[in-house]
Amino acid sequence: MIACIFDLDGVLVDTAQYHFLAWKKLAAELGIDLTLQNNERLKGVGRMDSLNIILSINGISLPEEEKERLATKKNTWFTGYIDAMKKEEILPGAVALLDALQQSGIKIALASSSKNAQTVIDKLDIRKYFDAIVDGNMISRSKPDPEIFITAAMQLNVSPVDCIVIEDAEAGVEAAKAAGMKCVGIGSAATLSKADCVVDGIGMLNIDILNKL
Ligand code: B16
Ligand code: MG
C-alpha cells in the first residue's frame, strides 16, 4: 500500500446519522417514512441524487425548482447538526490510524461526496493528515462512479492499484472497485459484499491489516 483514501461520513465520523435525521425530517414533510433500509441507498451518494432516490422509491415526481428547494432545506438542517458537532465525535481509532499512516510515510487522501466535507474536517481538526482532499464540490459524477477516487489518486500522484479505500457505503465500495483499488468496508458484510474485507469500525484497522490486503 502506497496510499490510503478515506471516505468521511460513516468512516471517520458518524455524520451519516445526521444525514439520516435530516432526510427523515424532509421525507416526513412529504408524507414519506424513510426507513433505515432505504437510507442505505443514500449513503455516499450526492445530495440531489439522494433526493431523487427518495422520490423515486415513493413514485413522486417534482419540478427541478421544488427539488432544489427541498435539497437546500435538508442541507440547512444537516449543517445545523454539524455546527453543534464536537471534535470528540471523531470515531474511535480514526486518529490513531491516521497518525500511524502518516508516520509510516503512506500518502493519505480524503474522498467525500459531501459538499460540507471541508467544514467537517475542520470541526474535527484533522486537515493536517491529508495530502489531498476531494469533496462533492470538485466532482461531476457521484459515487458509485469512480471519478472521486481516480481524482484523489491523481492528486496524490499514485497509481489506483497502490491505493486502499476505506468506505462505509455500498455506492462507495462499488466506486472504489470500479477505480481498480482495494477496498475495506466499514459496516455490514452483507451490504458491502463487494469489498475486499469488511470490519465493524475503523478502530479494528491497523497498517499490518491494510498491508496484507
Ligand atoms: P452533502 P461521504 C456523503 O458523504 C454522504 O455519505 C451522503 O449521505 C451525502 O448525501 C453526501 O455525502 C452529500 O453530502 O449534502 O453534505 O453534500 O460518505 O462520501 O463522505
Ligand atoms: Mg460514507
Side-chain angles (χ1 to χ4, degrees):
M1 165 185 52
I2 291 176
C4 194
I5 306 179
F6 289 85
D7 171 54
L8 178 63
D9 296 331
V11 168
L12 295 175
V13 62
D14 194 9
T15 35
Q17 63 171 321
Y18 300 137
H19 281 294
F20 177 58
L21 286 175
W23 281 127
K24 199 167 172 68
K25 201 164 159 181
L26 189 83
E29 283 198 0
L30 296 168
I32 298 167
D33 177 30
L34 177 64
T35 62
L36 272 171
Q37 195 188 350
N38 283 337
N39 183 61
E40 281 302 314
R41 294 174 57 183
L42 312 183
K43 286 187 180 173
V45 176
R47 199 179 306 158
M48 191 48 84
D49 288 343
S50 298
L51 177 59
N52 282 328
I53 291 171
I54 294 173
L55 295 176
S56 82
I57 289 171
N58 294 280
I60 298 171
S61 123
L62 293 172
E64 282 308 310
E65 226 173 77
E66 176 62 0
K67 289 201 286 187
E68 285 294 344
R69 194 187 67 79
L70 294 173
T72 302
K73 197 169 185 181
K74 178 265 171 180
N75 192 53
T76 306
W77 287 326
F78 178 73
T79 50
Y81 295 129
I82 294 305
D83 283 347
M85 203 172 87
K86 300 272 176 300
K87 190 180 162 187
E88 291 68 33
E89 285 184 50
I90 191 156
L91 288 168
V95 168
L97 182 61
L98 288 165
D99 244 336
L101 290 167
Q102 193 173 54
Q103 297 296 323
S104 309
I106 292 162
K107 292 185 178 179
I108 309 173
L110 185 85
S112 167
S113 303
S114 176
K115 293 183 173 168
N116 297 293
Q118 306 274 350
T119 311
V120 174
I121 62 161
D122 283 335
K123 271 264 168 190
L124 299 175
D125 195 20
I126 53 172
R127 187 176 286 276
K128 59 183 179 239
Y129 290 110
F130 299 103
D131 301 297
I133 294 173
V134 187
D135 68 22
N137 300 292
M138 302 171 184
I139 48 159
S140 48
R141 295 178 303 278
S142 159
K143 300 168 188 173
D145 190 285
E147 181 187 2
I148 194 162
F149 293 125
I150 300 285
T151 307
M154 278 170 66
Q155 288 195 10
L156 292 176
N157 205 17
V158 296
S159 164
V161 290
D162 293 323
C163 298
I164 297 180
V165 170
I166 322 280
E167 255 294 346
D168 72 313
E170 201 175 351
V173 172
E174 269 183 45
K177 296 313 292 175
M181 299 176 180
K182 290 266 166 55
C183 184
V184 176
I186 305 272
S188 137
T191 310
L192 307 175
S193 58
K194 290 182 186 151
D196 296 286
C197 86
V198 179
V199 295
D200 286 339
I202 195 164
M204 297 175 76
L205 293 176
N206 58 44
I207 295 191
D208 285 345
I209 293 173
L210 295 177
N211 272 329
K212 280 183 193 141
L213 278 179

